[in-house]
Amino acid sequence: PDERSFAYIIFHYCKGAGRSAPDAPDRALALIRKMIQMHREGYKELLPSSHNKTNPIFAFTSVIDAHSILRRPDSGVVADELLAAMEKLGDNIEALKPNTYVYLSVLYAWSSCGTVEAGERAVALLQHMEDDMKAAAERGEDSMLRTTQRCYILAQTAWARSPSMNKAEGALKVLKMMEAQYDSGNDEAMPTVQAYAMVS
């Protein structure tokens, strides 16, 4: 099998007819884990360093989103697992280096799971993105992790759906991060009416 074989079945469980099965996200996750393991064992055709077939990022984010859309309590943990795998694989596979699209998927997962740590984890992801942007700017480069309005809204949503006693303070912290990022010159982070409404 090659990357297309796995991608086709994963998309079947995540976006196709197979997504109606109750265990569809689990089956897709098992397949992506098998891909990763086989690649680590030397089967490089699954995730070639250069490719012109399927984009492997979509296979990973599709699995994350399949968990998130059902608001499964494990969606955040699954997203973190696959993000860590992508970061490690990205050292050798350029197409798997996480970008804003990937981080949006992970933030969506934490905004959906409703766990007590969801808000804190979402803020940590935002901070990592902002740190990467700052470091890239100092090098005179563009960051692959540029934050957008949706990044901050998802982080506020993670707080809103969390049972944490600090949800109000957490949502306000995210708004202040958004304001600071916009003030620093990131027009894509301009605070919205929704962002302010999340703390009212």
Side-chain angles (χ1 to χ4, degrees):
D2 60 12
E3 57 180 309
R4 289 176 296 179
S5 303
F6 274 83
Y8 179 83
I9 302 173
I10 288 169
F11 292 151
H12 170 73
Y13 286 130
C14 296
K15 299 180 182 296
R19 66 182 175 180
S20 60
D23 61 345
D26 300 300
R27 293 187 181 188
L29 179 59
L31 283 169
I32 205 89
R33 284 172 172 165
K34 186 171 184 178
M35 281 182 70
I36 294 168
Q37 185 59 36
M38 289 176 70
H39 178 81
R40 288 172 177 166
E41 292 173 352
Y43 195 71
K44 304 303 182 184
E45 277 300 306
L46 287 175
L47 296 167
S49 57
S50 60
H51 64 87
N52 57 6
K53 301 174 185 176
T54 57
N55 188 332
I57 276 184
F58 296 140
F60 281 74
T61 56
S62 292
V63 174
I64 295 172
D65 294 346
H67 286 73
S68 305
I69 201 168
L70 297 177
R71 293 194 182 179
R72 288 177 44 147
D74 63 342
S75 58
V77 174
V78 167
D80 271 1
E81 174 192 337
L82 296 186
L83 174 61
M86 292 178 73
E87 288 174 335
K88 187 171 183 179
L89 290 166
D91 290 339
N92 299 310
I93 304 172
E94 186 71 23
L96 270 179
K97 285 185 176 180
N99 54 21
T100 297
Y101 178 81
V102 171
Y103 269 73
L104 278 168
S105 182
V106 179
L107 283 165
Y108 175 43
W110 282 110
S111 77
S112 302
C113 66
T115 58
V116 68
E117 74 273 22
E120 292 286 357
R121 182 59 191 139
V123 168
L125 289 164
L126 280 180
Q127 189 61 60
H128 178 75
M129 294 177 77
E130 290 186 354
D131 290 345
D132 187 85
M133 290 171 62
K134 183 178 179 180
E138 290 173 351
R139 297 191 303 269
E141 301 173 357
D142 291 327
S143 171
M144 293 178 63
L145 303 180
R146 192 169 183 81
T147 57
T148 65
Q149 291 173 334
R150 181 160 171 75
C151 294
Y152 295 96
I153 294 297
L154 286 172
Q156 286 184 313
T157 304
W159 278 112
R161 291 177 176 163
S162 168
S164 171
M165 298 296 291
N166 301 318
K167 62 171 60 184
E169 295 86 350
L172 180 59
K173 179 178 181 179
V174 173
L175 175 61
K176 289 181 177 179
M177 292 174 71
M178 193 178 192
E179 290 174 332
Q181 189 61 215
Y182 178 65
D183 290 342
S184 72
N186 181 5
D187 291 340
E188 295 180 61
M190 183 175 69
T192 63
V193 172
Q194 183 182 4
Y196 285 102
M198 294 287 279
V199 300
S200 61

